Amino acid sequence: MKEIYSNVNIVGGGLIGVATAISLCKLGYDVTILEKNPTYQFGNNAFDKRTVAISEGTKLFLNKINVWNELSKYAEPIHRIQIIDRASTNKLIFDNKRRNSNLGYIVKNKKLLDVLYRKLLSERKIKILNNTLISRIQIYDQKIYLETNKHKILSDLNIAADGKNSQIRDILKTNFYKKNYNKKAIVVNFSHSRNHKNTAYEFFYKDGPLAILPMKSENNKNFSSIVWTNSNEYSDSLNKLSDEKLRIILNDKIDKYIGNVLKIYNKQLFPLSAHLNVKFHDKKTIYLGDSAHSFHPIAGQGWNLGMKDVENLYNICSDYKRLGIEIGNDIFCKKYHNNTFYRAYNLYQITDKLDNFFQQNNYISSLTRSVGINIIQKNSIIKNAISDFAMGFN
């Protein structure tokens, strides 16, 4: 069995894992990626059809690691966000005028991963090992040792970027808290009759939120993506409908905002749950992105927080590299935990409580939301703080 040494081993070749590898390679570290799936295929149409919302803060980091320049041509900017509670008159409107920048960007997951992999394959300090299954993890002589079905990998630091159902977390027995919302989100990509004018919408209904995300136009057609959360039963029924019947239901929700749905191109269904590891490090391993935390999609910030993990790790590694200190020791891992855990904990609490608050359908809750929305809409200080959060600046 072949033995491989690298400064950093990353388990998971998805969006977060690949972005991490690219960023650490920029600092001069040798990186190995272990991916359980076969070799990545560019243009694979079977891939996840969802979109990702990239905050302005994440964009700045992607620019720092020389990814944004190529990605920008696939990204549709968000100039305005409208948040609407039940009635169209009860709404909040955010824009980008104060900072003279965009509130965020919408990119297809597949396009983002294509760009990241092209960048990854151009880096000589990164090895990718596909079809890899991990059987054992040990600490040996101040190094972490992973045994797989094909290789033995020895590293200074191991990174778990292997998603919500992390195998690394199971092997290391890192404890975590999980909440199942007993709901599903249906994601639909479609063309529509009117220009979305770079506006994102989020409607709050008693059964869950419905978000409309503006996508890049193609062949002179307007495109958007809907993420609609509802009960398991209703979401399942929507997913089983013919495109024509689903189009009629969606038109009732969105017609006055972006016009009629012209054609549905794909739809997917995802169960909703959230989790939070009790700590973001364990045995010379640190957890990034969904392996560490996941949230209710109500704020659309889950992936951006994962990228904030990557940025925090990058900054710590940069400091250690400059000082000539080896990464991966207890102090290093605890510093990463301290810089990332509480931000994740706060977002976990915010998204969970917001979901509960907006689902309340009694008179007092409705009145409270209406008064609160009216106050926020008229208060620039509060609106700016929320806008900064959405843009990833706090």
Side-chain angles (χ1 to χ4, degrees):
M1 188 175 285
K2 186 176 180 181
E3 189 167 289
I4 296 173
Y5 171 78
S6 60
N7 301 121
V8 181
N9 180 67
I10 300 173
V11 181
L15 294 172
I16 292 295
V18 175
T20 304
I22 293 169
S23 68
L24 297 185
C25 178
K26 293 294 178 188
L27 297 175
Y29 290 106
D30 291 309
V31 180
T32 300
I33 296 177
L34 305 184
E35 170 56 44
K36 66 180 181 180
N37 293 314
T39 303
Y40 183 74
Q41 296 180 9
F42 291 92
N44 182 359
N45 292 325
F47 187 75
D48 184 353
K49 301 297 194 304
R50 285 177 295 181
T51 57
V52 62
I54 299 177
S55 70
E56 186 71 14
T58 297
K59 171 216 163 177
L60 294 177
F61 180 66
L62 289 172
N63 190 54
K64 187 174 185 177
I65 61 174
N66 300 321
V67 169
W68 182 254
N69 187 50
E70 184 179 354
L71 182 62
S72 61
K73 59 189 174 185
Y74 304 113
E76 185 70 1
I78 299 173
H79 296 161
R80 294 185 359 138
I81 298 175
Q82 288 195 34
I83 297 174
I84 301 165
D85 179 33
R86 308 308 198 263
S88 59
T89 54
N90 196 23
K91 63 185 177 182
L92 278 169
I93 300 175
F94 298 93
D95 58 43
N96 60 333
K97 294 178 182 177
R98 176 175 58 100
R99 286 184 177 271
N100 194 30
S101 63
N102 297 309
L103 290 170
Y105 307 83
I106 302 298
V107 182
K108 292 180 180 179
N109 281 17
K110 179 59 181 172
K111 293 294 186 183
L112 175 53
L113 202 51
D114 279 352
V115 169
L116 288 172
Y117 261 89
R118 277 195 288 270
K119 188 70 177 175
L120 185 78
L121 295 173
S122 71
E123 301 287 357
R124 290 183 295 176
K125 297 181 77 66
I126 301 175
K127 302 182 189 74
I128 311 172
L129 306 178
N130 295 294
N131 291 309
T132 300
L133 300 175
I134 299 164
S135 57
R136 186 168 58 165
I137 300 176
Q138 290 181 314
I139 303 297
Y140 176 76
D141 193 24
Q142 302 302 308
K143 304 290 183 184
I144 185 163
Y145 168 92
L146 278 77
E147 186 172 321
T148 77
N149 54 325
K150 296 180 179 179
H151 304 90
K152 296 178 181 179
I153 297 100
L154 199 64
S155 306
D156 301 316
L157 174 67
N158 185 49
I159 295 175
D162 54 344
K164 291 175 75 169
N165 301 312
S166 171
Q167 183 191 9
I168 298 299
R169 191 176 59 222
D170 290 342
I171 293 173
L172 296 180
K173 294 180 169 53
T174 305
N175 291 325
F176 66 101
Y177 172 79
K178 181 175 181 179
K179 179 171 183 177
N180 189 337
Y181 287 100
N182 295 312
K183 292 190 174 186
K184 293 179 182 177
I186 186 168
V187 180
V188 183
N189 292 346
F190 61 97
S191 60
H192 47 91
S193 59
R194 283 170 26 205
N195 193 313
H196 50 55
K197 297 182 180 179
N198 299 94
T199 300
Y201 299 88
E202 184 148 25
F203 304 90
F204 288 102
Y205 303 115
K206 65 177 182 178
D207 296 315
L210 183 154
I212 307 175
L213 307 174
M215 295 172 64
K216 204 81 174 172
S217 62
E218 297 178 24
N219 301 319
N220 296 316
K221 295 179 181 179
N222 304 307
F223 282 87
S224 290
S225 180
I226 275 179
V227 183
W228 188 4
T229 298
N230 221 302
S231 67
N232 288 331
E233 295 77 11
Y234 190 67
S235 296
D236 286 338
S237 68
L238 288 175
N239 195 48
K240 293 175 183 177
L241 290 175
S242 67
D243 286 355
E244 180 58 28
K245 290 182 178 179
L246 179 58
R247 192 174 69 85
I248 293 170
I249 292 174
L250 294 180
N251 280 340
D252 182 58
K253 300 290 184 182
I254 70 170
D255 175 67
K256 68 170 68 173
Y257 301 98
I258 58 173
N260 289 317
V261 175
L262 298 178
K263 183 178 179 179
I264 292 173
Y265 285 83
N266 47 69
K267 57 186 177 184
Q268 289 178 286
L269 203 59
F270 299 91
L272 295 190
S273 65
H275 84 280
L276 188 70
N277 291 11
V278 296
K279 57 181 179 178
F280 288 0
H281 69 96
D282 205 349
K283 300 181 180 67
K284 295 182 75 68
T285 295
I286 63 171
Y287 294 96
L288 289 175
D290 282 354
S291 69
H293 48 69
S294 62
F295 312 100
H296 191 288
I298 193 169
Q301 292 297 312
W303 188 76
N304 289 297
L305 190 68
M307 284 302 297
K308 196 66 179 178
D309 296 345
V310 178
E311 184 176 2
N312 282 328
L313 175 63
Y314 173 88
N315 291 335
I316 297 169
C317 287
S318 180
D319 290 341
Y320 271 59
K321 191 76 171 180
R322 178 171 48 83
L323 296 172
I325 305 174
E326 189 175 276
I327 61 175
N329 58 34
D330 285 345
I331 295 175
F332 175 95
C333 293
K334 287 177 181 176
K335 184 176 180 65
Y336 168 78
H337 169 88
N338 290 339
N339 287 359
T340 56
F341 178 83
Y342 297 102
R343 183 189 296 268
Y345 175 81
N346 288 336
L347 187 59
Y348 179 92
Q349 294 293 339
I350 289 170
T351 53
D352 185 64
K353 301 304 181 288
L354 273 177
D355 174 61
N356 181 266
F357 177 64
F358 275 101
Q359 285 188 61
Q360 299 299 316
N361 207 37
N362 56 63
Y363 174 77
I364 294 177
S365 297
S366 298
L367 180 62
T368 302
R369 288 196 303 269
S370 180
V371 171
I373 286 172
N374 187 52
I375 290 173
I376 293 171
Q377 180 63 25
K378 294 179 180 179
N379 189 309
S380 60
I381 295 176
I382 299 176
K383 280 188 71 175
N384 290 344
I386 296 173
S387 177
D388 285 348
F389 170 78
M391 295 169 72
F393 288 142
N394 56 22

